[in-house]
Amino acid sequence: MQKRQKIMLVDDNKANLAMGKNILSEYYDVYPLPSVDKLFEFLQRVTPDLILLDIEMPGMNGYEALTILKADRQYADIPVIFVTAKASESNEYEGLALGAIDYVTKPFAPALLLKRIENQLLIQKQKVSLQDFNDNLLQMVKEKTRQIFDLHSAIVSNMADLVEFRDNFTGWHIHRTQEYLKVLVEQLIKDGIYADDLLVWDLNVIMLSSQLHDVGKIAISDTILNKPGKLTPEEFEIMKTHAQKGVEAIEKMERSARFADFLEHAKLFAGTHHEKWDGSGYPRGLQGLDIPIEGRIMAIADVYDALITVRPYKKAFTADESARIIREGAGTHFDPALTETFKKLEGDFAEIALHAAQLSETEGAPGICPSH
């Protein structure tokens, strides 16, 4: 059995209340109420499907009551039909402007009143159905977007793993730099530094795209990539090409990929994380704020991780030594503003390095010396 819909009829005239109830009660549950005060009293206990509201009443009138209803999120969506004995164009305009959905005149014409109510309740039912459809559609879009993001994430992670598997000396480097980036970006946002850039970022997208910062190493030969010692000047020049090769690899992905905004960030991470604040970096010799924020942030994460881990050409520095070198690079290698933020996070960086070392002990990751 279909549940009967509820209608509140508000009118200070008892005869109108009685007539309205007689007309409507065969089809609806009717609540005849003699004043706006009674309306708000009953609304605390019952939520109607529609309100028939008289305009001219002692105390608070219908216009005032409707204004209060529309201002309250709990009642704003309840459809209201104004009831009046004096219909005029100006009165109708005022009521419709306030949010009424229709007007009916007194004395009631039963067939017309029932049809007006039937039509308005049908419209409301259709609005609810449409809203449900839109909500379900939005949920479907969110789910599809999540699936696409998960697919991108899996592909990117596998590519990043491929780079690390080829490089015997930088295991877990990508994991650690992601964690450094996360705490650094969060602190920058908290402090309002470079907020215009960072507040529009989706941190999940940034973390995903940062995994590709060394993707260009795929194009570097194993002889150079895994050389057990310091590179010659000629070999280092070849190694330096990994930044531009990374950009080129990502540009190829961009030409064939859709819905991959993260690739634009990835390209900036790959192509600019070896640029230096004073312009002495590579591959383009960018200087200061000409270096994209992705490159400036990754420079700190990348260098810190290189310092605190064993490399073929160096031992692992302690966390204190690594942090000191970052601090001393402010204004030459690193963005001074980012370096100031790094100072607040030295302990966090050291903890990330130590935790990653503990997780990777069984996988033969390079040594880390995070002791102070």
Side-chain angles (χ1 to χ4, degrees):
M1 182 176 176
Q2 188 174 359
K3 187 178 179 181
R4 284 164 64 94
Q5 293 173 291
K6 303 178 182 68
I7 294 178
M8 289 185 178
L9 172 58
V10 187
D11 197 310
D12 62 308
N13 186 300
K14 292 182 180 180
N16 289 332
L17 290 179
M19 182 183 298
K21 183 174 182 179
N22 288 337
I23 295 170
L24 301 174
S25 58
E26 181 178 351
Y27 306 98
Y28 307 103
D29 288 341
V30 183
Y31 297 80
L33 305 169
S35 67
V36 171
D37 288 341
K38 284 295 182 182
L39 168 66
F40 286 114
E41 181 182 326
F42 267 74
L43 283 173
Q44 299 299 315
R45 304 194 297 271
V46 179
T47 300
D49 296 286
L50 184 141
I51 298 172
L52 288 167
L53 182 60
D54 189 21
I55 295 177
E56 299 296 334
M57 289 182 287
M60 188 181 298
N61 65 33
Y63 295 137
E64 295 168 327
L66 181 59
T67 301
I68 295 173
L69 287 169
K70 293 302 178 184
D72 191 323
R73 293 180 62 183
Q74 185 177 355
Y75 309 127
D77 292 331
I78 301 173
V80 175
I81 296 177
F82 270 139
V83 176
T84 179
K86 300 178 181 179
S88 71
E89 186 175 320
S90 61
N91 287 341
E92 288 190 23
Y93 177 82
E94 183 176 0
L96 294 173
L98 290 173
I101 58 172
D102 204 352
Y103 265 82
V104 295
T105 56
K106 298 185 287 185
F108 298 126
L112 183 59
L113 177 62
L114 287 168
K115 196 62 181 177
R116 289 282 183 87
I117 291 173
E118 179 187 347
N119 288 344
Q120 293 301 334
L121 289 175
L122 178 60
I123 290 171
Q124 295 305 310
K125 182 178 180 181
Q126 291 171 339
K127 285 174 62 177
V128 171
S129 296
L130 181 60
Q131 185 61 52
D132 289 342
F133 175 79
N134 287 338
D135 290 344
N136 291 334
L137 184 61
L138 179 61
Q139 187 58 41
M140 290 171 60
V141 171
K142 287 181 177 179
E143 178 61 21
K144 198 65 173 178
T145 301
R146 185 193 64 78
Q147 291 174 1
I148 293 171
F149 184 84
D150 288 347
L151 177 60
H152 289 162
S153 182
I155 294 170
V156 169
S157 294
N158 286 334
M159 290 185 65
D161 287 344
L162 180 61
V163 174
E164 289 211 325
F165 289 152
R166 289 194 60 237
D167 189 340
N168 294 332
F169 299 106
T170 59
W172 284 69
H173 169 71
I174 290 172
H175 168 79
R176 291 189 300 270
T177 52
Q178 275 188 294
E179 294 300 310
Y180 301 145
L181 279 176
K182 185 172 185 294
V183 298
L184 188 54
V185 171
E186 288 175 343
Q187 187 65 47
L188 289 167
I189 292 173
K190 181 179 178 181
D191 293 345
I193 298 173
Y194 298 127
D196 289 346
D197 294 307
L198 304 184
L199 286 176
V200 298
W201 281 4
D202 181 329
L203 197 53
N204 290 326
V205 171
I206 295 302
M207 294 302 103
L208 175 62
S209 61
S210 73
Q211 293 184 57
L212 294 179
H213 73 276
D214 272 340
V215 70
K217 286 184 177 179
I218 290 177
I220 305 300
S221 71
D222 289 340
T223 304
I224 294 176
L225 198 61
N226 292 314
K227 181 179 179 180
K230 190 173 182 179
L231 298 178
T232 66
E234 294 79 13
E235 290 170 334
F236 184 56
E237 287 301 313
I238 294 173
M239 177 64 85
K240 285 163 61 175
T241 65
H242 81 273
Q244 183 56 36
K245 290 183 182 296
V247 172
E248 293 167 1
I250 294 168
E251 285 177 341
K252 288 182 180 179
M253 289 185 242
E254 283 185 312
R255 287 194 287 271
S256 59
R258 293 183 178 180
F259 313 114
D261 293 341
F262 68 89
L263 289 177
E264 185 60 35
H265 291 292
K267 188 163 57 175
L268 294 174
F269 278 123
T272 65
H273 70 284
H274 284 296
E275 301 288 355
K276 295 183 180 180
W277 185 258
D278 63 5
S280 64
Y282 65 87
R284 296 167 58 194
L286 298 177
Q287 186 174 6
L289 295 178
D290 288 338
I291 305 169
I293 185 69
E294 289 90 343
R296 284 178 275 141
I297 293 174
M298 180 57 81
I300 290 178
D302 191 59
V303 172
Y304 181 89
D305 196 62
L307 291 168
I308 207 168
T309 56
V310 174
R311 295 295 170 93
Y313 50 87
K314 58 170 278 295
K315 65 179 180 66
F317 290 103
T318 67
D320 283 343
E321 290 170 331
S322 301
R324 175 183 54 78
I325 293 170
I326 298 292
R327 292 195 303 269
E328 290 175 351
T332 53
H333 193 148
F334 308 113
D335 180 338
L338 299 183
T339 311
E340 285 300 310
T341 301
F342 167 80
K343 291 178 183 179
K344 300 180 181 180
L345 302 170
E346 292 178 17
D348 298 88
F349 272 54
E351 287 181 13
I352 290 168
L354 179 59
H355 183 60
Q358 293 169 342
L359 287 176
S360 62
E361 279 179 355
T362 60
E363 300 186 21
I368 291 176
C369 186
S371 61
H372 293 264

